[in-house]
């Protein structure tokens, strides 16, 4: 949160908060943070992959697939996304 106080347009700060919330199983809040990061940088791989992961764990598999595909367009070799893709 300190990084956001200094620079509220820091996509990486929102991404970090998103992954912390995934770890804490607070998927709704994680989705909010990843969406905020994407509003700053719409092609940010980490935000796309984090959003895909959060939506998958929240049970929103159709939406997760959309973000998995967008992220894989950027990095086709990401193992975590390929695992999620197989589970959808």
């Amino acid at each position: 949160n300190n990084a956001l106080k200094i620079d509220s347009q820091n996509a990486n700060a929102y991404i970090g908060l998103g992954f912390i919330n995934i770890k804490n199983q607070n998927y709704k809040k994680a989705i909010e943070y990843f969406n905020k990061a994407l509003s700053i940088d719409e092609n940010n791989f980490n935000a796309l992959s984090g959003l895909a992961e959060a939506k998958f764990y929240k049970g929103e598999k159709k939406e997760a697939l959309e973000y998995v595909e967008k992220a894989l367009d950027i990095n086709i070799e990401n193992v975590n996304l390929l695992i999620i893709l197989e589970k959808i």
Side-chain angles (χ1 to χ4, degrees), residues 55-73:
K55 286 190 172 283
F56 174 78
Y57 288 125
K58 191 170 183 248
E60 299 176 2
K61 293 184 179 181
K62 183 177 179 181
E63 294 88 353
L65 178 59
E66 175 186 345
Y67 291 102
V68 165
E69 290 173 345
K70 286 181 180 182
L72 287 174
D73 283 344

Side-chain angles (χ1 to χ4, degrees), residues 33-64:
Y33 284 125
F34 291 125
N35 279 326
K36 181 64 177 171
L38 289 171
S39 74
I40 297 166
D41 180 1
E42 67 185 31
N43 292 313
N44 186 298
F45 172 78
N46 291 320
L48 290 167
S49 63
L51 187 54
E53 189 175 340
K55 286 190 172 283
F56 174 78
Y57 288 125
K58 191 170 183 248
E60 299 176 2
K61 293 184 179 181
K62 183 177 179 181
E63 294 88 353

Side-chain angles (χ1 to χ4, degrees), residues 8-25:
S8 65
Q9 295 299 303
N10 185 336
N12 289 326
Y14 289 108
I15 292 166
L17 290 169
F19 281 113
I20 288 168
N21 278 279
I22 284 178
K23 183 176 180 180
N24 293 330
Q25 299 181 349

